[in-house]
Amino acid sequence: MDRLTLSQYASLHGQKKTAQALGICQAAICKALKARRHITVTVYANGEVKAEEIKPFPNQRHQADFAA
C-alpha cells in the first residue's frame, strides 16, 4: 500500500489517468489541485486506488453562519 498526495499521484500518472482511477472527470482533479485541497491517494497492492480528504472540523466557513 502506497500513500501519496493528489499532487504527487497526478504528477506521476497525469490528471486524466488519475481521474479515471478515481472514477471522476479530469476537471475535478484540476480544480482540487488549484484549490490545494488536502487529498491523500492510497494505492493498494491489488491496484485499487482510493482518495480521502482531510478537512478541519468544524468547517470554519460554516461556523460564521452560526455566530450571527
Side-chain angles (χ1 to χ4, degrees), residues 3 17 53:
R3 287 183 185 231
K17 288 191 178 190
E53 181 172 16

Side-chain angles (χ1 to χ4, degrees), residues 46-59:
N46 65 359
E48 185 179 9
V49 179
K50 290 189 177 182
E52 296 178 317
E53 181 172 16
I54 299 174
K55 289 182 165 185
F57 180 80
N59 186 340

Side-chain angles (χ1 to χ4, degrees), residues 3-63:
R3 287 183 185 231
L4 304 155
T5 65
L6 179 62
S7 178
Q8 291 170 328
Y9 189 88
S11 292
L12 291 172
H13 300 282
Q15 289 186 18
K16 185 176 179 182
K17 288 191 178 190
T18 300
Q20 289 171 343
L22 296 173
I24 57 176
C25 65
Q26 180 272 329
I29 298 295
C30 183
K31 188 174 179 179
L33 291 172
K34 284 184 180 180
R36 297 179 172 251
R37 291 170 60 182
H38 299 284
I39 300 172
T40 302
V41 178
T42 304
V43 182
Y44 295 91
N46 65 359
E48 185 179 9
V49 179
K50 290 189 177 182
E52 296 178 317
E53 181 172 16
I54 299 174
K55 289 182 165 185
F57 180 80
N59 186 340
Q60 299 300 318
R61 184 178 73 200
H62 291 110
Q63 200 170 30

